[in-house]
Amino acid sequence: MKTKKQAGKSMTSHLQRSFGGGSMLVIMVLFSFLAACSVSSSQPEILPPVAPKEETLLVMHGDTRIDFYYWMRDRENPELISYLNAENRYLEQVMAPTEQLQETLFNEMVGRMRQDDVSAPNFSNGYYYYTRFEEGAEYPIYCRRKGRLDAPEEVILNVNELAAGHPYYQVGSYDISLDNSRMAFSVDTVGRRQYTLMIKDLSGGAITRTGIQHAGGDVAWAADNNTFFFTVLDPGTLRYERVMSYNTGEQTLREVYYEADETFYHVGVTRSKDDRFLMINSSSTLSTETRILESDRPGDSFRVFHPRTANLIYRVIPYKEKFYVLTNLDATNFRLMETPLGNTGSRNWRQVIAHRGDVLLENIELFENHLVVQERSNALRQLRIRDLRNGNEHYLEFAEDAYTANIGINAHMNTNILRYNYTSLTTPASWIDYNMDTRQQTLVKQQEVLGDFDPARYQTERHFVKARDGAEVPLTLVFKKGMQQNGDNPLLLYGYGSYGFSQDPRFNSNLLSLLDRGFVYALAHIRGGQDLGRQWYEDGKLLNKKNTFNDFIDCAVFLVDEGYTRPERLFGSGGSAGGLLIGAVINDRPDLFHGVIAAVPFVDVVTTMLDETIPLTTAEYDEWGNPNNQQYYEYMLSYSPYDNVSEQNYPNILVTSGLYDSQVQYWEPTKWVAKLREYNTADSQILLYTNMEAGHGGASGRFRRLREIALQYAFLLKLAD
């Protein structure tokens, strides 16, 4: 039987659907009706804003969809801005009882942070480079010391000074000229990943604003110390499409490369580790192409290393008189090849490390005498060392059952020291130097967690959950020791499952605020990532996409069945494509979760993938499918969260968004929230927070970001109370 409030929501949905074309009439009718239906009390009920509705017909393959919120796409529309501000005010009102809790959470998270922290130093071209923070400062300070760690400090970039007056500020990337005299860097002041390029004279300190805008963030100096290369975005689609060079002496621009194929969504430019080559890398989801140029000849033309081929991915690393090539050529999980400098076509590639069906070859690092291979097996990474002088090999050993290890920053070639990074759900981030000859390890730095943190108080578990089709899905848990499997624990289940991004267990000091309050945290390694190899990714994309959602649901059911939690105490979380996951899951099994957080969620799948003017659309046909093809249209339509909202009891939902988001346009989460409220028949809260000054990544400062995390944690704790 529906409550009075639920009955009001049902009538609201009926009225909205009946009066879809007259937005202002709908608003007046709804507010009058909701006011009449509200339960009488001394405190007036807080009502959410009601989005105006304008009917838009979307027709494809003989199918007609009606979208009442299509109008929200106009970022310059004052009515839209007014609505987003109203949503933010509503969220503040609803969450007002948690203000003290949010402040407590914020202070806890700040209290664990060493505010004057210094990063592990990295040696490159005669200098040790590092970043440090000052007490209370939002942004890092980039520094270096010449030759020795006890040499005088040179501040090369103080981001706090540059960010003054900007609500958002992000340094994209930077590169130091080979004579160590100048620094080229990119800056984003909006959060839309469109960068402005600047040059700093490292001897005098003067910063030159080049006037170059819509840069993609990459910067690479040529060996002449006078020319640098950078990428450029299309200002509309935000596709990385060009590489330009800038001559600092003549202050002239030259187009070096234009990527005409719209499915190749990313063009990057880098300088090789040995500084001999500049490389342009073009990539789509399933194909890559590399162009190379000697870095001491910046005025010449780049040449193709190997022509792009359908479904062929390769990465190039120069080493002495040959190139190493990491590729999926006849190798689902990749293999390592080599080829002479002057004969780079695939017919000349010779195998160095063979393909293995149960091991994904992720990455390599080259030194004068050593080759380091980063592999993934059984959902965990391993580091394999090969001595290039004699062919001897060994693996690094790690003691924990669930961890993350990866190759770190290694800019120096002539060394036998490997810098690698290590962490787990209970071990803070660690930077370790490993002597590849003596096998001795030195802990360079470990993330300092202030307060009474003791890793021995927490426990990690690793499970393999049998999915409905028989696949075994890895699931990693962390909780405070003493947890009882009695079904009474609040539990947060996180997932992503797209683009081949694997979910590695990493330490997060912020998470302690949930664990110390009795939460269990679970990480679902669902299909769509590469946790179990490249096939694990293939089985969670295109026409297999529903495996991603089913895996997450099956992990949730496992956690309930095994007594870790129960639906009334279970929460889900995911961001971006992980927000798509959350949206699809709550349409299918809304009864399984008490609350969910969907951060910058990609939820309007079909409409977005049909619009080639939206950033990333054409580039992602290989990930989601091209809905201009009816088979893909119908399959995508069957799971698209926005299109499948129905009249049912939804859990409590917190949705976050950024007005300047370049990856998931703000209107997707905004439309979704409006439609969810229209159809929701439960007495649950559906909240939308839009950062009006940022994009996909949220706030840029380290403390501002913690404010947003505190809001999300307070949402969970309020529901778990």
Side-chain angles (χ1 to χ4, degrees), residues 585-658:
V585 164
I586 62 172
N587 278 336
D588 190 19
R589 288 296 307 272
D591 59 304
L592 197 51
F593 296 88
H594 185 47
V596 297
I597 298 174
V600 289
F602 172 44
V603 286
D604 194 12
V605 181
V606 178
T607 303
T608 291
M609 293 304 296
L610 280 170
D611 189 345
E612 297 182 3
T613 68
I614 294 177
L616 304 182
T617 293
T618 56
E620 300 203 349
Y621 288 157
D622 289 333
E623 180 72 24
W624 312 103
N626 183 348
N628 291 292
N629 177 311
Q630 187 168 353
Q631 181 185 21
Y632 285 109
Y633 173 86
E634 292 175 351
Y635 187 78
M636 295 162 72
L637 187 60
S638 72
Y639 69 74
S640 173
Y642 182 72
D643 291 289
N644 286 281
V645 171
S646 64
E647 193 166 292
Q648 59 178 332
N649 289 353
Y650 281 97
N652 298 281
I653 305 169
L654 172 61
V655 181
T656 69
S657 177

Side-chain angles (χ1 to χ4, degrees), residues 245-254:
S245 69
Y246 182 75
N247 185 297
T248 58
E250 301 172 358
Q251 298 184 2
T252 54
L253 284 170
R254 180 171 70 95

Side-chain angles (χ1 to χ4, degrees), residues 75 93 138 178 193 346 353 377 404 416 460 507 669 702 707:
R75 189 182 284 104
Q93 291 176 303
E138 289 278 5
L178 295 182
R193 301 191 183 186
S346 62
I353 296 178
S377 176
T404 298
N416 63 351
T460 297
F507 184 77
R702 56 176 177 161
R707 291 287 183 189

Side-chain angles (χ1 to χ4, degrees), residues 235-310:
T237 65
L238 302 186
R239 182 174 72 93
Y240 294 72
E241 63 175 12
R242 299 175 195 273
V243 174
M244 309 282 289
S245 69
Y246 182 75
N247 185 297
T248 58
E250 301 172 358
Q251 298 184 2
T252 54
L253 284 170
R254 180 171 70 95
E255 181 176 299
V256 174
Y257 175 68
Y258 172 69
E259 177 54 68
D261 188 340
E262 293 184 351
T263 65
F264 276 66
Y265 59 91
H266 189 272
V267 176
V269 60
T270 61
R271 190 177 62 252
S272 62
K273 179 177 176 177
D274 63 6
D275 295 326
R276 285 188 297 164
F277 294 94
L278 294 160
M279 295 185 288
I280 295 174
N281 301 296
S282 296
S283 59
S284 68
T285 304
L286 299 177
S287 301
T288 61
E289 184 177 65
T290 296
R291 285 170 166 76
I292 59 176
L293 174 67
E294 287 73 11
S295 66
D296 60 356
R297 301 169 62 181
D300 290 359
S301 298
F302 284 75
R303 59 188 182 275
V304 175
F305 185 88
H306 177 74
R308 65 187 63 182
T309 305

Side-chain angles (χ1 to χ4, degrees), residues 74-92:
D74 183 4
R75 189 182 284 104
E76 305 303 320
N77 184 345
E79 188 173 11
L80 180 276
I81 298 300
S82 177
Y83 174 72
L84 293 177
N85 287 327
E87 284 283 5
N88 283 346
R89 287 193 298 271
Y90 173 66
L91 176 134
E92 290 176 3

Side-chain angles (χ1 to χ4, degrees), residues 105-238:
L105 290 166
F106 174 77
N107 289 330
E108 284 179 7
M109 291 185 282
V110 171
R112 297 189 195 101
M113 175 196 304
R114 181 172 181 132
Q115 293 195 36
D116 58 350
D117 200 12
V118 181
S119 71
N122 297 291
F123 187 75
S124 177
N125 196 24
Y127 284 82
Y128 285 95
Y129 288 87
Y130 59 95
T131 60
R132 62 176 175 83
F133 285 89
E134 293 182 341
E135 188 88 14
E138 289 278 5
Y139 299 101
I141 300 171
Y142 293 81
C143 306
R144 70 179 182 180
R145 296 177 188 268
K146 187 174 183 179
R148 309 185 321 273
L149 287 173
D150 60 353
E153 178 183 86
E154 298 178 34
V155 173
I156 58 176
L157 206 64
N158 188 331
V159 182
N160 298 285
E161 294 176 356
L162 296 173
H166 295 280
Y168 182 95
Y169 201 91
Q170 187 73 43
V171 173
S173 63
Y174 72 91
D175 193 32
I176 308 294
S177 60
L178 295 182
D179 65 359
N180 292 309
S181 68
R182 285 185 289 183
M183 175 185 191
F185 63 100
S186 59
V187 169
D188 177 9
T189 58
V190 176
R192 201 159 170 77
R193 301 191 183 186
Q194 297 184 73
Y195 295 89
T196 299
L197 291 182
M198 301 184 184
I199 304 169
K200 182 171 183 179
D201 180 344
L202 296 180
S203 58
I207 294 178
T208 302
R209 300 177 184 273
T210 65
I212 299 170
Q213 298 179 330
H214 305 304
D218 288 352
V219 182
W221 283 94
D224 69 346
N225 299 304
N226 196 43
T227 307
F228 66 83
F229 293 76
F230 61 95
T231 52
V232 177
L233 299 169
D234 179 285
T237 65
L238 302 186

Side-chain angles (χ1 to χ4, degrees), residues 384-453:
R384 174 184 179 186
I385 313 295
R386 174 179 290 187
D387 191 321
L388 294 173
R389 295 165 295 191
N390 54 33
N392 292 337
E393 292 186 342
H394 68 277
Y395 283 89
L396 273 69
E397 295 183 359
F398 306 110
E400 296 183 270
D401 292 334
Y403 62 86
T404 298
N406 60 275
I407 297 170
I409 298 175
N410 294 273
H412 191 41
M413 286 287 294
N414 191 19
T415 179
N416 63 351
I417 302 299
L418 164 71
R419 170 70 56 81
Y420 76 92
N421 306 323
Y422 180 89
T423 185
S424 74
L425 289 171
T426 57
T427 302
S430 306
W431 291 261
I432 301 168
D433 280 352
Y434 178 75
N435 189 309
M436 294 179 282
D437 290 325
T438 67
R439 305 191 185 185
Q440 295 298 308
Q441 303 200 44
T442 302
L443 179 63
V444 178
K445 176 183 172 60
Q446 185 172 76
Q447 175 189 356
E448 189 172 355
V449 183
L450 303 182
D452 63 350
F453 169 69

